[in-house]
Amino acid sequence: MDLLLLEKQLKAVADGNRLTLLSCLKSGEVCVCDLVDVIGLSQPAVSQQLKKLEEAGIITARKVGTWKHYRLAEDQTPVMETILAQLEKQETCQCGSECEVSS
């Protein structure tokens, strides 16, 4: 395993807010606007947390209108698969109707 990738991923998940975000993303794609409500931080602060997870290759993003929608990356390292398996899925993180999610 690439040690630099492992280091980046472990640093990315070593934060309670980022673990909560990953729990939300276990339910599928979620708009950043809904993640703001769950975490209780400002949109720029949540976006910074998501950026760290994206840079570590744990999540991916796509832009829909003015909002970004995030989901877990399809290919996870064995370490991340183990960590994600330990997180409880949060069903409260569903996109609202204003987000216009389409796959």
Side-chain angles (χ1 to χ4, degrees):
M1 171 172 234
D2 180 352
L3 291 179
L4 291 176
L5 175 61
L6 179 60
E7 177 185 17
K8 187 176 263 195
Q9 289 184 334
L10 290 174
K11 284 182 179 180
V13 297
D15 177 87
N17 285 329
R18 291 192 287 270
L19 288 172
T20 300
L21 292 170
L22 290 174
S23 293
C24 290
L25 296 176
K26 285 185 75 169
S27 297
E29 187 173 87
V30 181
C31 177
V32 69
C33 66
D34 293 307
L35 295 172
V36 167
D37 294 337
V38 171
I39 299 296
L41 298 174
S42 68
Q43 186 272 322
V46 172
S47 291
Q48 283 297 317
Q49 300 299 317
L50 291 164
K51 181 179 178 185
K52 290 179 183 187
L53 293 169
E54 190 174 11
E55 288 174 347
I58 302 167
I59 65 172
T60 61
R62 70 182 181 98
K63 194 162 177 131
V64 178
T66 58
W67 295 103
K68 272 192 155 181
H69 293 249
Y70 293 87
R71 70 173 65 198
L72 294 174
E74 289 186 27
D75 295 322
Q76 298 289 346
T77 62
V79 171
M80 282 311 306
E81 286 178 358
T82 302
I83 291 169
L84 291 170
Q86 297 303 309
L87 297 175
E88 285 189 37
K89 186 188 301 186
Q90 290 195 24
E91 300 293 339
T92 58
C93 307
Q94 301 298 319
C95 272
S97 59
E98 73 275 2
C99 295
E100 297 182 30
V101 175
S102 61
S103 297

